[in-house]
Structure formats: C-alpha cells, structure tokens
Amino acid sequence: KIESEIFSMRVKFWGVRGSIPTSPTNEEIRERLVETLLRFGRDGRAVDLRDRDAVERYVAQLPRALNAFAGGSTSCVEVRAGDELLIIDFGSGLRRLGDALMQREFAGGRGRASLLLSHFHYDHLQGWPFFKPAYVAGNAFDLYCRFPDALERLEQHQRAPFFPAAAWGDMVADFEFHPLPATPISVGQNTKIKVSTLKLEHPSGSYAFRLESENAVLVYASDGAYPLPNGAKDDEALRYIDFFRDADLVIFDAQYSLAQSLEKHSWGHSSAIVGVELAARAGAKRLALFHHDPASSDEFLEHHLRVAQEYAANPPAPCAPNAVEVILAREDLEIVL
C-alpha cells in the first residue's frame, strides 16, 4: 500500500513557540557544549574526534536535552491525511515549511493545500509573507477561517510600511476563501476531513480546530484560557471536554505554569495541568504541550513536561491514572495517528 493508504493522519510541528520567535541564548549554547564535553570525558569512549561519522553517532545517542532544542519558531503545524495537505496557522515556522514544499510539486505550480487560521495575532501570521509557494503561479490554496474578513486582514498585514517587500498582489497562487461556519464542514479535494471549530477565551478571539478523518482525530487548541475543570465553572469546562472527546492527539496551549495561567487569565493562555485534566476527562490519548513561552528555556520546558507527566500519572478523580500520554511539542517532531 502507498503511504497515504497506510496512515490516516500525519502531524509535523514546524513552529511551537508563542508570542515571538525565540533563539537559544549564547549562555544556553555554551552550557550545552560544556555538558557535552564533560559527558564525553566521563564516558571514556574511544571516539575518534577526527572521524565525522563517529562523532555524529556519539552526538545522536546523547540525551535530548543536549543534542536538540525545542525550537524557536512560532505556531505552524503540518497535517497530512491521505492525499490532503492541511496547514494550521502561519507563524514563523511557515517559512521553513514553505521551503520544504518548494522541494516538491509546489516548485512547479502543481501544489494544493488547505490553510486553517485560528486568529490574527502576529505570532500566528509572521511566516505568511515568507511562504514561497504562495508566490508561484498554479499553486492552489483553500483558506478556512472563522473570521469573515480574513483576506482583508491578511492583505493589511502586507501593506507598506509594515511589510513593503512583497504585497498581497505579489502572491500569484490561486486562493479561495471559505468562511468557516459554526457547524462542522468537510475540507479537501479527495480525502475528506471534517473540521469543527470552538471559540476560545483569548483577546480579540481565537478558535480551536477539531480534524476528523476516517481513523483519526486531531485537536489543535492554541491560544485559549480555560476554567479549572473541577472548579466552580465545571459546566463551562464541559464544552471543551466534549470538543476534545476521544482525540488521538490534542495540541494544547501550555504557555504558562498553573499559577501563571491563573494570574494572567485575561491574557488568553493556559497551562499543562489544565490540559492534562481536560484531555484525560475527554478520553484523549495524547497531549502535546504547545505555544511555549519565549521566556522558557529548554531546561524549564523539560521541567514543565515532567510536572505534567507526574500529574497525568496521579490525577484527581474522575481522571484515571496514566489515561493520557503527555509529550512536548518540538520543531520537526512527527507523529502518526
């Protein structure tokens, strides 16, 4: 069987940060170099440092905390379902995704994709003017968004003096805009994907997406604040739980610690603890912590992940222990559902 027949949905993360693109600091890079060299000394392995292949093998077996960063690009997720390509949000990660697509049919103007846009904050639009496939005639894009003036907002984003290098009119690919209704609709040309939306609590508004194929369910719920599931507003939490119901993967805004999310509730972001509880009560299989705070180092993100995993292992009733697997969204991470 060809790959599109074997896998019902494949997800790849191209941007996982929130608010603003974030590079590792010089201090973080130096610390990793020091820790790697110290580890090499302790290992006592006979690695020929003049042999590139030997060095690469050694680096490959290092702990993830030493040989990879979570990533600094803002929100962008690629979804492939059968023959369909869906792109969720246009953060700075969209630039690299566009470069990858230009190695395929999009370079010759034969590409097609469905674009889902959750809202219009800068960290979810920064990659759009740098998306090379949009400047190739013949490529076709179906844009889906709950905001009826989405095209006008995108055009404004590229007007001088804010982005004078390439105006909206320079994007010569074919675009068709589909205002998303409140009820589920099917998207795609061949393999139909049912898309549902849910309004999230976020300044100026944002929407979560639920994508359902024949054999898989993906929920993308970035940029939203939530009531505590067992708190006074439990009835309100139920609408989110229902939206997450039985998902194979929930991509969740876990920008803050639980304390920060309560303190900054009006900022419209959440925490890993709330995500674990909502996902567990919904019967979701896996939760990806997403939209990482630009102030969070990789070391803090690993701590953030461990806390969430410990909570998932020993949650309060009615959640079952280890009901949901918790992972950290990282750039280039691919998940098959």
Side-chain angles (χ1 to χ4, degrees):
K1 292 184 177 181
I2 63 173
E3 182 176 308
S4 62
E5 294 175 326
I6 297 173
F7 301 121
S8 55
M9 204 175 289
R10 181 186 292 271
V11 180
K12 183 170 182 178
F13 294 94
W14 291 91
V16 297
R17 288 277 171 178
S19 302
I20 190 170
T22 308
S23 299
T25 65
N26 291 335
E27 182 180 353
E28 288 176 304
I29 294 172
R30 282 195 299 269
E31 181 62 24
R32 288 202 178 195
L33 288 172
V34 169
E35 286 297 323
T36 300
L37 291 172
L38 288 172
R39 186 182 185 90
F40 179 78
R42 291 192 299 266
D43 284 349
R45 296 190 182 188
V47 178
D48 186 352
L49 296 181
R50 298 166 298 180
D51 184 339
R52 184 179 183 88
D53 290 340
V55 172
E56 287 186 349
R57 286 194 297 271
Y58 178 76
V59 171
Q61 58 80 45
L62 288 171
R64 185 173 55 195
L66 291 179
N67 69 10
F69 288 98
S73 296
T74 56
S75 305
C76 181
V77 176
E78 172 189 5
V79 181
R80 291 191 180 269
D83 297 328
E84 304 297 337
L85 168 61
L86 298 90
I87 299 172
I88 306 177
D89 277 345
F90 309 159
S92 62
L94 184 67
R95 183 192 64 81
R96 279 203 313 126
L97 171 54
D99 291 346
L101 295 178
M102 290 295 286
Q103 304 303 312
R104 307 177 66 165
E105 66 272 18
F106 285 86
R110 300 184 304 277
R112 186 176 196 101
S114 297
L115 311 175
L116 305 178
L117 184 58
S118 65
H119 66 302
F120 291 88
H121 287 168
Y122 280 148
D123 53 329
H124 294 255
L125 289 181
Q126 289 160 334
W128 179 247
F130 303 94
F131 185 55
K132 292 179 183 177
Y135 297 91
V136 179
N139 288 333
F141 298 98
D142 292 287
L143 173 62
Y144 296 89
C145 185
R146 280 294 301 268
F147 296 88
D149 57 348
L151 290 182
E152 180 182 350
R153 294 189 185 193
L154 287 173
E155 182 181 359
Q156 290 175 346
H157 179 59
Q158 285 177 252
R159 290 179 185 171
F162 306 107
F163 194 84
W168 175 264
D170 295 320
M171 290 181 158
V172 293
D174 296 324
F175 291 93
E176 185 172 352
F177 175 53
H178 308 269
L180 278 172
T183 54
I185 68 166
S186 293
V187 306
Q189 299 297 307
N190 300 313
T191 306
K192 295 297 183 181
I193 308 298
K194 186 172 78 170
V195 175
S196 307
T197 60
L198 180 69
K199 189 171 184 179
L200 300 177
E201 188 175 343
H202 193 68
S204 302
S206 181
Y207 288 87
F209 298 116
R210 179 183 173 96
L211 280 58
E212 299 179 59
S213 68
E214 185 175 349
N215 299 310
V217 177
L218 168 68
V219 172
Y220 176 90
S222 186
D223 293 70
Y226 302 83
L228 291 177
N230 287 322
K233 297 182 179 180
D234 198 51
D235 289 343
E236 184 180 346
L238 289 176
R239 74 186 189 99
Y240 301 108
I241 293 170
D242 288 340
F243 194 77
F244 295 176
R245 185 77 62 193
D246 297 326
D248 294 283
L249 174 65
V250 177
I251 301 172
F252 188 81
D253 179 342
Q255 179 160 339
Y256 296 140
S257 67
L258 180 60
Q260 288 173 323
S261 70
L262 296 175
E263 178 187 353
K264 302 178 180 180
H265 185 90
S266 63
W267 292 25
H269 299 290
S270 193
S271 70
I273 298 301
V274 172
V276 167
E277 199 155 327
L278 291 172
R281 291 183 64 183
K285 297 179 178 67
R286 191 179 298 178
L287 177 76
L289 309 183
F290 185 73
H291 207 269
H292 309 316
D293 194 294
S296 295
S297 66
D298 276 57
E299 182 180 13
F300 177 82
L301 292 178
E302 289 292 340
H303 168 74
H304 200 47
L305 173 63
R306 288 193 298 271
V307 169
Q309 290 171 335
E310 290 170 3
Y311 188 77
N314 299 283
C319 303
N322 298 307
V324 59
E325 178 187 0
V326 185
I327 63 173
L328 190 72
R330 301 174 179 276
E331 286 183 23
D332 299 324
L333 173 65
E334 292 190 53
I335 300 173
V336 176
L337 308 181

